[in-house]
Amino acid sequence: MKKVGNPKSFSKTFFSLALTLVFAFAVNAQEPAAAPAPAADAVAAPAAGAGDPAKGKELFNTNCAACHKLDAKATGPALRGVGDKYDKEWLYKWIHNSADLIKSGDAKAVKVYEENGKVAMTAFPQLSNADIDNIIAYTMQPKEEPKAASVAPITGEGSSDSGSSNTLILGALALVLSILIFMLFTVNNLLKKVIDAKGLEFEEKPKSLPLWKAFAKNQFLVLVSAILFLLISAYFAYGYLMQIGVDQGYAPIQPIHYSHKIHAGDNGIDCKYCHSSARVSKNAGIPSLNVCMNCHKNINEFQGDKDSTYVDYSKEFYTGEIKKLYDAVGWDPATQKYTGKTKPVKWVRIHNLPDFVYFNHSQHVTVGGIECQKCHGKVETFEIMKQDQPLTMGWCINCHRETNVKVEENGYYEKIHAELSKKYGKTKLTAAEMGGLECGKCHY
């Protein structure tokens, strides 16, 4: 019998090629159209009145916000709509010098004084009547209601044509594919009939040796592969073991959200105001909640601009975290008093050196003059606090080798600096040159 090639190979190849082309065209035809950009909200014009609300807001934040809120009682009463409650001339006298007005026996002044715990209001003689008019205009503005997030409706304009064209293209491709499949089956059946009629046989190709068997018979390749496998395994095993206990990037969720980006970044609060023990102690310490309440007695809601770049969460979220603080310390913002009911806050520790390592914050911060950012990163940009550096032994040693010790006007290093300067013949010395690489400095 005469041997011929396998007709199935041609049909399979042709069918696979047709299917690939159709799939590619279908994917390209179904690319989504770009969504239209939302229209910008119109900016409301400032309300007209006796004063300028915009200037009044600036004056209010500078002079009044420490003790007053617009819609909630703080140290003083809420000031929304104060212009409707009191005569303007009376407000001039009260703001300029409330103590004199109370001493004069003015009934309104005495009533306000007694209703607010007999806390005297600070006098503001530097404010002109025009300034007070601007503040009143700001307090008379209606309260802004929170806007619900709006979703732009899908109009369908500009998409109907593309949708119909995609449907036509897919329909045409499906028709072509159906015709090709029909033709392939027809040709395949015809070839089978011709082979059976003429008594032909398929020519079978000799089977090649499997790749793994060919590899196993080559002893040189097996030896080289084994050596490479062992070296690569040792490299990855060493890298894995060296990362045990290294928590760089660790950023746990705390029971009360605290944004360093807002406090240290936007408000410029110094790190050592909260972590005061870092200047005099081995440990930086966990700030007491009383330190938080130094400011948050009068800050009971988030006041940041909604368009500010440092806001990663909503205003309601930040205000809710302040309420968690109040609940922990037992503070009632309505009565401006402590209830006596406190709850412990279980902070999650982030930076934690092994027990066999000694590190003294005061020696680095006070004596060495090292900035907090050197070890902790740019915390003023962190919304969630994290471990910025690896804090490994190699990282510390490298810092000791590169960092010059600040000895100017530093009596701690005066004697040792004079002796080592003669030894090394230079005025600036690194921590390593002053004994910073001795094992007993950190391990004892």
Side-chain angles (χ1 to χ4, degrees):
M1 287 187 180
K2 186 178 179 180
K3 296 182 179 180
V4 297
N6 190 348
K8 293 183 180 180
S9 62
F10 172 75
S11 62
K12 289 181 179 179
T13 303
F14 192 73
F15 178 78
S16 300
L17 179 62
L19 185 60
T20 302
L21 291 174
V22 171
F23 180 76
F25 280 118
V27 170
N28 291 332
Q30 291 180 351
E31 290 183 354
D41 293 337
V43 180
D52 186 349
K55 293 181 180 179
K57 180 179 181 180
E58 183 178 351
L59 290 167
F60 181 90
N61 291 334
T62 303
N63 301 281
C64 312
C67 299
H68 293 280
K69 306 294 180 186
L70 287 179
D71 302 296
K73 177 178 172 55
T75 303
L79 296 185
R80 178 81 70 182
V82 69
D84 292 336
K85 298 177 182 178
Y86 304 100
D87 181 74
K88 187 173 290 188
E89 293 298 327
W90 183 88
L91 287 173
Y92 292 157
K93 297 177 183 178
W94 174 261
I95 295 172
H96 284 149
N97 196 329
S98 61
D100 285 350
L101 198 60
I102 295 170
K103 290 179 181 179
S104 68
D106 184 90
K108 292 181 181 178
V110 173
K111 182 180 179 182
V112 172
Y113 178 69
E114 292 177 348
E115 286 179 350
N116 292 278
K118 295 184 177 181
V119 177
M121 176 179 164
T122 304
F124 294 96
Q126 73 276 16
L127 294 178
S128 65
N129 290 350
D131 291 335
I132 297 175
D133 287 340
N134 293 334
I135 294 174
I136 295 174
Y138 171 63
T139 62
M140 294 303 295
Q141 287 187 311
K143 183 178 180 181
E144 294 183 2
E145 297 296 333
K147 296 181 180 179
S150 59
V151 179
I154 301 175
T155 59
E157 294 181 1
S159 61
S160 58
D161 293 340
S162 60
S164 59
S165 61
N166 289 343
T167 304
L168 290 175
I169 293 173
L170 290 176
L173 290 175
L175 179 61
V176 172
L177 178 61
S178 302
I179 295 173
L180 288 175
I181 294 174
F182 175 76
M183 291 175 62
L184 285 174
F185 279 108
T186 303
V187 171
N188 188 50
N189 292 332
L190 180 60
L191 289 175
K192 285 182 179 180
K193 290 179 181 179
V194 171
I195 291 171
D196 293 339
K198 294 187 177 183
L200 302 177
E201 292 182 356
F202 296 132
E203 182 179 357
E204 298 290 342
K205 293 183 179 180
K207 294 182 178 180
S208 59
L209 194 66
L211 182 61
W212 68 272
K213 287 186 177 181
F215 176 79
K217 288 185 176 182
N218 193 322
Q219 296 181 355
F220 176 76
L221 287 178
V222 172
L223 178 61
V224 172
S225 300
I227 294 174
L228 288 175
F229 176 77
L230 291 175
L231 291 175
I232 294 172
S233 300
Y235 171 79
F236 283 105
Y238 175 79
Y240 173 77
L241 293 174
M242 290 301 293
Q243 293 303 312
I244 295 177
V246 179
D247 297 322
Q248 185 176 12
Y250 177 54
I253 301 301
Q254 300 290 355
I256 298 178
H257 181 86
Y258 181 88
S259 172
H260 280 80
K261 188 184 292 186
I262 293 177
H263 292 80
D266 186 72
N267 293 319
I269 300 175
D270 184 67
C271 299
K272 293 180 282 295
Y273 175 77
C274 299
H275 301 278
S276 56
S277 57
R279 294 174 293 192
V280 296
S281 173
K282 171 186 173 182
N283 299 312
I286 301 174
S288 168
L289 294 184
N290 290 332
V291 177
C292 304
M293 291 302 295
N294 288 341
C295 298
H296 281 286
K297 277 185 178 180
N298 294 320
I299 304 175
N300 55 17
E301 62 180 4
F302 181 65
Q303 298 293 336
D305 187 354
K306 64 179 181 179
D307 298 323
S308 178
T309 56
Y310 63 78
V311 176
D312 290 345
Y313 298 89
S314 65
K315 177 180 177 180
E316 290 73 22
F317 171 81
Y318 287 116
T319 302
E321 297 304 301
I322 296 175
K323 291 180 180 179
K324 290 182 182 179
L325 170 64
Y326 287 169
D327 186 50
V329 299
W331 174 258
D332 187 353
T335 61
Q336 294 286 297
K337 293 180 180 179
Y338 287 102
T339 62
K341 298 179 181 179
T342 61
K343 297 179 181 178
V345 179
K346 299 179 181 180
W347 300 107
V348 181
R349 184 166 184 170
I350 300 175
H351 304 87
N352 190 19
L353 294 178
D355 293 339
F356 54 80
V357 177
Y358 177 80
F359 179 86
N360 193 310
H361 273 84
S362 63
Q363 185 175 3
H364 289 77
V365 175
T366 303
V367 180
I370 303 298
E371 295 293 335
C372 303
Q373 287 81 354
K374 181 74 173 180
C375 299
H376 296 289
K378 296 182 178 180
V379 293
E380 67 274 13
T381 65
F382 295 167
E383 178 65 32
I384 298 177
M385 188 59 191
K386 64 180 180 180
Q387 180 176 317
D388 187 69
Q389 299 294 339
L391 305 184
T392 59
M393 178 177 174
W395 179 82
C396 294
I397 289 176
N398 187 61
C399 182
H400 282 190
R401 286 172 175 165
E402 295 178 350
T403 305
N404 290 322
V405 178
K406 297 179 180 179
V407 295
E408 297 82 2
E409 299 179 359
N410 193 335
Y412 186 89
Y413 289 113
E414 184 176 353
K415 183 177 179 180
I416 189 174
H417 179 260
E419 294 177 355
L420 292 176
S421 295
K422 293 179 181 179
K423 178 180 178 180
Y424 293 107
K426 54 183 180 180
T427 56
K428 290 186 177 294
L429 298 172
T430 64
E433 292 170 332
M434 300 186 72
L437 296 186
E438 295 178 6
C439 301
K441 293 289 184 181
C442 303
H443 306 287
Y444 59 93

